[in-house]
């Protein structure tokens, strides 16, 4: 994501941004999970530097994990509810979830994923740490020259909280 792209999309609502990313990268290659709520590895696009994000994460957290996914409708796992994104786009998705008027303060929807996974991994990218996994190297390379966008996203988060 470039600064120009961020400037053009920063005012979007969460679902609008999901649609934007689905237009940019396409919908899920397949359903994220099988009907048994076991993850389908064919949904992954980390070889392209992209993560799979669940569009319905604005309604519930951790939909990529069996333990949580089984508590919600299987339709949330369907390919049309999968959004591909790079690290920074994933960060913005979670920020937008946390900014929604209907965000549940007890679950801190959007923030857990940001603080526990996304931000620490992006920090690693910009601190020069080189991961061992090929897929993580691809995901890091996809944002290598986008540090200014990262700082803007951090500032947006800081201003909110």
């Amino acid at each position: 994501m470039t600064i120009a792209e961020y400037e053009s999309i920063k005012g979007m609502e969460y679902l609008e941004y999901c649609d934007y990313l689905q237009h940019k990268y396409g919908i899920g290659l397949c359903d994220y999970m099988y009907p048994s709520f076991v993850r389908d590895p064919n949904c992954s696009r980390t070889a392209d530097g992209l993560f799979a994000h669940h569009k319905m994460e604005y309604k519930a957290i951790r939909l990529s994990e069996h333990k949580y996914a089984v508590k919600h409708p299987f339709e949330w796992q369907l390919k049309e509810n999968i959004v591909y994104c790079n690290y920074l786009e994933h960060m913005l998705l979670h920020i937008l979830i946390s900014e929604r008027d209907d965000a549940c303060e007890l679950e801190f929807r959007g923030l857990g994923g940001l603080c526990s996974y996304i931000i620490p991994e992006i920090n690693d990218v910009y601190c020069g740490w080189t991961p061992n996994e090929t897929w993580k190297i691809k995901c890091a390379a996809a944002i290598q020259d986008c540090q200014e966008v990262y700082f803007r996203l951090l500032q947006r988060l800081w201003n909110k909280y």
Side-chain angles (χ1 to χ4, degrees):
M1 177 189 316
T2 64
I3 289 292
E5 182 182 7
Y6 176 69
E7 288 298 322
S8 72
I9 54 87
K10 70 180 181 182
M12 290 183 178
E13 298 289 329
Y14 173 73
L15 291 173
E16 184 182 10
Y17 188 53
C18 286
D19 291 342
Y20 170 85
L21 290 173
Q22 285 183 321
H23 180 74
K24 182 176 179 178
Y25 298 118
I27 63 167
L29 298 176
C30 59
D31 298 343
Y32 191 84
M33 291 186 175
Y34 298 113
S36 60
F37 287 94
V38 172
R39 187 179 172 277
D40 183 343
N42 296 311
C43 189
S44 176
R45 289 198 48 200
T46 53
D48 300 322
L50 301 173
F51 296 95
H53 171 83
H54 285 78
K55 190 182 239 185
M56 296 303 168
E57 280 191 16
Y58 77 98
K59 293 186 177 190
I61 61 173
R62 301 171 88 172
L63 293 175
S64 62
E65 298 176 34
H66 175 86
K67 175 181 171 180
Y68 297 94
V70 296
K71 297 177 183 179
H72 303 288
F74 178 73
E75 292 75 28
W76 292 7
Q77 300 294 330
L78 298 180
K79 66 183 181 180
E80 56 267 18
N81 289 317
I82 300 303
V83 176
Y84 292 112
C85 52
N86 66 34
Y87 269 123
L88 296 175
E89 293 162 339
H90 200 193
M91 183 176 177
L92 180 55
L93 284 165
H94 280 260
I95 290 171
L96 292 171
I97 290 170
S98 75
E99 291 176 349
R100 286 180 58 95
D101 291 337
D102 62 352
C104 173
E105 291 182 21
L106 296 177
E107 273 192 350
F108 296 105
R109 276 184 265 156
L111 292 178
L114 276 172
C115 297
S116 299
Y117 304 105
I118 300 168
I119 291 174
E121 289 189 12
I122 296 173
N123 283 341
D124 286 345
V125 170
Y126 292 129
C127 288
W129 179 73
T130 304
N132 293 327
E133 302 95 331
T134 302
W135 71 268
K136 279 192 175 183
I137 293 169
K138 292 271 190 184
C139 292
I143 64 160
Q144 198 59 52
D145 299 324
C146 307
Q147 196 167 2
E148 188 177 345
V149 175
Y150 180 50
F151 291 139
R152 291 212 187 168
L153 292 172
L154 286 173
Q155 186 65 53
R156 180 174 180 159
L157 196 58
W158 179 262
N159 290 344
K160 170 76 176 166
Y161 295 100

